[in-house]
Amino acid sequence: MSLMREAHPLTLKVMRLSRPVLAETQPLLPLDSSESVLAQPLREAEQSRPTARGQIFSDLQLPDTRHPLDTFPLTETLVLPRSFGTMFLGETFLAQMCICNESSMVVRDVSQQQPLLDTSGSAQQLAAGQPLNLQITHEIKELGMHILGCTISYLSAQGEHKTLQRSFRFQAANPLVVKTKVNHLKRDVLLEVQVHNATPSPLVLERMRFDPASPFSVQDLNEVDGNKALLWGDSGGLMQPGDVRQYLYRLQPPAVTKDTTVEQERAVQYATALGKLDILWRGAFGSVGRLQTSQLLRKSPGMFLIEVEQAALLDRDTVSIEQPFVAQARIRNVSERKMAVSATVHTHKHPLMMPCGPVRHDLGELDVGQVRELELEFLPLAAGVQRFGAMAFCDSISGYTRELDYLLDVFVE
């Protein structure tokens, strides 16, 4: 026994509304292949806008042509796409839905719903041959398969309540491939962003913005003299298919001050959320697409129990060879208990920067969050960029030890 599909007096058709394209044509090439298509337009351009050097094309032997556009592959006619095409993440799905009464009877109480789009429409009745046109929109926010399910309820001529269900499937592809890389510069974070145009057509990036998460603030390093367009020259935000562009952002936490608590510094060092990228682009004929990434994360660098803050030269900006200088640093106890801290300078790691005076310094007891100033004197023995200040910090109460590779880099004159 075969199951017969129920016949409905209503038909449902859905057409995606896409922007038109220029129609292509097969050019008929003349027998003389040396004939130039641009000869006549160039002559007309120089006659209407002569340059300071006169008629720049007057000495050139350009073959003439009566119909310069006959060999151009595009026409002035706009045509609609013949297929559904490809939907991309961030675009807006726009479609025209037509419900038509194909029977010779009147159909009453017609209503339709699309769960995916959360929209509905209705009509009191549809006469024979009468259509009901609806326009639906939906922003594509997820990749993969999408199903447009349509449910039409109506009252037939016999007074029966009937339902017509149809579903339409389409894929949503990724228009932009975004890759990120995180680098740490002391307390700051350098975020590298790589954007790849994965669509088969050009697009223009109108907005490339990074919205930082708390507690960071962002510095856009992609601007030249305050103008981001200068970074890419005359091309601006134009990206051809397959093009890759890189952007750089610097994320800065609040500066450390005397009032900064251990809890605030711990919140900065253990923060994993960096922020979100907000990208806005335009495609052919001004079609708009928008992509907002999920929260970008990093691997937390963590914290040492003994932190070294604000290391700098004391009372000078330059360092001269064989002239002693003093460097200063703030040592903070960021643990959860009292510590008795001592610092020991390693003389063998940087032999060209010899410490003057004792190599072991007792900082005494430090309560939780307490800061102690440490001043060290060094004698540079060679010119150039020199690294100095390798030392070890030790807590005599718990036995905790932290090795510091270097304190500062200086240029010795």
Side-chain angles (χ1 to χ4, degrees), residues 99-135:
I99 304 172
C100 186
N101 181 10
E102 300 288 349
S103 68
S104 58
M105 308 294 289
V106 176
V107 178
R108 305 178 186 278
D109 298 337
V110 179
S111 63
Q112 63 84 28
Q113 290 183 344
Q114 298 95 23
L116 174 65
L117 310 181
D118 195 21
T119 59
S120 61
S122 62
Q124 292 185 354
Q125 65 178 22
L126 287 180
Q130 181 181 356
L132 172 63
N133 292 309
L134 302 170
Q135 193 173 98

Side-chain angles (χ1 to χ4, degrees), residues 193-219:
V193 179
Q194 186 182 87
V195 180
H196 171 225
N197 179 11
T199 67
S201 57
L203 54 84
V204 176
L205 294 181
E206 282 200 349
R207 184 177 68 207
M208 183 73 181
R209 187 182 68 198
F210 183 80
D211 299 324
S214 178
F216 297 102
S217 60
V218 64
Q219 179 186 1

Side-chain angles (χ1 to χ4, degrees), residues 23-30 37 67-75:
E24 299 182 3
T25 182
Q26 184 67 32
L28 299 177
L29 299 178
V37 177
H67 305 288
L69 294 181
D70 288 349
T71 56
F72 198 66
L74 296 178
T75 68

Side-chain angles (χ1 to χ4, degrees), residues 165-208:
Q165 293 183 339
R166 293 288 185 270
S167 62
F168 304 88
R169 300 171 180 263
F170 60 90
Q171 284 279 356
N174 196 1
L176 299 174
V177 178
V178 180
K179 297 180 180 180
T180 59
K181 182 180 180 181
V182 177
N183 300 281
H184 292 91
L185 183 63
K186 294 185 178 179
R187 299 177 73 248
D188 295 351
V189 178
L190 291 178
L191 177 65
E192 300 178 40
V193 179
Q194 186 182 87
V195 180
H196 171 225
N197 179 11
T199 67
S201 57
L203 54 84
V204 176
L205 294 181
E206 282 200 349
R207 184 177 68 207
M208 183 73 181

Side-chain angles (χ1 to χ4, degrees), residues 11-15 84 93 97-98 114 116 136 145-152 165-171:
T11 58
L12 172 63
K13 296 181 180 180
V14 177
M15 180 183 69
F84 182 86
F93 174 72
M97 176 182 295
C98 179
Q114 298 95 23
L116 174 65
I136 54 179
M145 179 67 68
H146 287 64
I147 300 177
L148 173 62
C150 303
T151 302
I152 302 174
Q165 293 183 339
R166 293 288 185 270
S167 62
F168 304 88
R169 300 171 180 263
F170 60 90
Q171 284 279 356

Side-chain angles (χ1 to χ4, degrees), residues 308-371:
V308 180
E309 304 172 351
Q310 301 179 0
L313 300 180
L314 184 63
D315 299 332
R316 67 168 58 199
D317 297 327
T318 60
V319 176
S320 300
I321 188 172
E322 297 183 353
Q323 294 293 327
F325 68 93
V326 178
Q328 185 182 59
R330 291 160 51 91
I331 312 302
R332 180 190 291 266
N333 176 13
V334 294
S335 68
E336 297 179 352
R337 59 183 181 274
K338 180 185 292 187
M339 305 180 76
V341 181
S342 62
T344 304
V345 180
H346 299 310
T347 59
H348 62 281
K349 288 191 175 181
H350 304 122
L352 298 180
M353 301 287 285
M354 295 299 297
C356 302
V359 296
R360 188 178 187 278
H361 301 266
D362 188 7
L363 302 181
E365 293 187 353
L366 296 178
D367 291 330
V368 176
Q370 188 176 357
V371 176

Side-chain angles (χ1 to χ4, degrees), residues 245-261:
R245 291 197 172 180
Q246 290 183 313
Y247 298 87
L248 184 62
Y249 300 93
R250 182 173 184 173
L251 307 182
Q252 298 172 308
V256 177
T257 63
K258 294 183 179 180
D259 298 330
T260 302
T261 63

